[in-house]
Structure formats: structure tokens, C-alpha cells
């Protein structure tokens, strides 16, 4: 091993460390701001329903990671400030990068995590009106059977089956047309 390797390493670290420390401090600041925003969002969602985008446990795990990293950074930068330039560094740029990676990963995951769909009120099924033959003959009323679902899912088609029986007409002659449709139909 060449004796000058340590000197080159110290020089390289001294040149690149300030920018790496700045980047980590910016990441910690941005993660703290995001945590505040996500905590507010979670509190608001919890007033409405029980499924926030980010759980309190998830937010706490990021808070702990940010606090530990910030404490570590303060300790090692203070120790580095007390060292002479010819001494080996208290921490390396690689160590800073290894502290940044889990925070960046969590922030990215939390940012991309989809928001839950808010609960919706149950939909009433539309009223159906049968088409009736206009002949003067006596027309017995048809019998309709329908069991619509009481819940709907956003961005999915709301469907249900309707069966009809009319003693005056064969099944292939029956035609159903809704009388009232919701505005989104």
C-alpha cells in the first residue's frame, strides 16, 4: 500500500464532503417538511374515514430515521471540525450517501403511494319503466325482479341484472328502458 493513499483520500474527502453534507441537510429539511404535510393530510383523512394514505406508523418510522440521521450528522460534523486536516476524517462521503439512501427511498415511496378512495354513499338503483303495448286489449302488468348492489366503486361500471316476465308477451318481445337515470349514466 502506498503511503500517499491516505493523503489522497483525505484530500478527496475534504474536497467533496462539504457538498455531500449540504445535500444531506437539504434532504433532512425537505423530509421534515414533507412529514409535516403528510401528518396534516393524515389527520384530515382520519376525521373522515379510517384509511389514510400514510399510516401514523409509517410517518413515525420516517421521523425516527430523519431524527437519527440528523443527530448522527451533527455529531460527526462536530468531530470533523475538531480534527486537523492531516488526520483521517470522522466520516466519509460514502457514509453520508448510505444515510441518504433509506430516507430518499421512504420519501419516494410515500410520495408515490396512492391516496385512498373516499367512501361513497350507496347509490339508489334507477327506476325502470316497461314499454307497454298500446293495444286496447287488457294488459296484465309485467313482473320485474332486480337486486341492485348497494355499493359502487369509483371508475368501475355500475351494473346489475333485471329480469322481467309479462303474461301478455313472450320473453323475446320484452324491452326495458329506464325512466330515470342518474346524471353520470
Amino acid at each position: 500500500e502506498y503511503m500517499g493513499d491516505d493523503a489522497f483520500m483525505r484530500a478527496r474527502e475534504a474536497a467533496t464532503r462539504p457538498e455531500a453534507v449540504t445535500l444531506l441537510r437539504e434532504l433532512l429539511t425537505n423530509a421534515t417538511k414533507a412529514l409535516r404535510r403528510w401528518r396534516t393530510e393524515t389527520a384530515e383523512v382520519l376525521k373522515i374515514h379510517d384509511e389514510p394514505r400514510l399510516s401514523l406508523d409509517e410517518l413515525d418510522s420516517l421521523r425516527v430515521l430523519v431524527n437519527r440521521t440528523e443527530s448522527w450528522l451533527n455529531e460527526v460534523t462536530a468531530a470533523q471540525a475538531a480534527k486537523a486536516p492531516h488526520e483521517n476524517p470522522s466520516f466519509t462521503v460514502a457514509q453520508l450517501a448510505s444515510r441518504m439512501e433509506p430516507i430518499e427511498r421512504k420519501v419516494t415511496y410515500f410520495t408515490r403511494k396512492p391516496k385512498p378512495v373516499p367512501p361513497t354513499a350507496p347509490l339508489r338503483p334507477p327506476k325502470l319503466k316497461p314499454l307497454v303495448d298500446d293495444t286496447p286489449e287488457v294488459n296484465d302488468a309485467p313482473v320485474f325482479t332486480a337486486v341492485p348492489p348497494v355499493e359502487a366503486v369509483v371508475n368501475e361500471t355500475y351494473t346489475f341484472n333485471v329480469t322481467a316476465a309479462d303474461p301478455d308477451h313472450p320473453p323475446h318481445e320484452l324491452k326495458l328502458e329506464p325512466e330515470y337515470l342518474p346524471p353520470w349514466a
Side-chain angles (χ1 to χ4, degrees), residues 16 24 43 52 56 84 86-87 93 95 103 105-106:
T16 57
L24 180 54
L56 295 175
H86 67 277
E87 294 180 294
V93 171
Q95 288 173 310
I103 296 171
R105 190 174 350 108
K106 274 188 188 272

Side-chain angles (χ1 to χ4, degrees), residues 129-145:
K129 176 178 99 172
L131 288 180
V132 180
D133 189 6
D134 291 323
T135 59
E137 300 175 37
V138 175
N139 187 14
D140 294 323
V143 177
F144 295 93
T145 307

Side-chain angles (χ1 to χ4, degrees), residues 16-86:
T16 57
R17 188 181 313 110
E19 183 181 355
V21 168
T22 299
L23 288 173
L24 180 54
R25 288 203 189 279
E26 287 173 1
L27 175 64
L28 293 171
T29 299
N30 291 336
T32 301
K33 287 177 184 177
L35 267 169
R36 273 190 235 120
R37 189 174 62 251
W38 291 329
R39 280 201 180 279
T40 302
E41 174 189 303
T42 298
E44 292 299 316
V45 170
L46 284 173
K47 291 177 186 176
I48 300 169
H49 57 87
D50 294 335
E51 295 184 35
R53 175 170 68 136
L54 302 170
S55 72
L56 295 175
D57 289 340
E58 287 175 314
L59 294 174
D60 284 342
S61 71
L62 178 58
R63 180 189 51 79
V64 167
L65 185 59
V66 165
N67 289 346
R68 285 182 181 165
T69 302
E70 194 165 28
S71 294
W72 173 83
L73 182 59
N74 290 336
E75 288 173 20
V76 295
T77 53
Q80 183 61 40
K83 288 192 174 243
H86 67 277

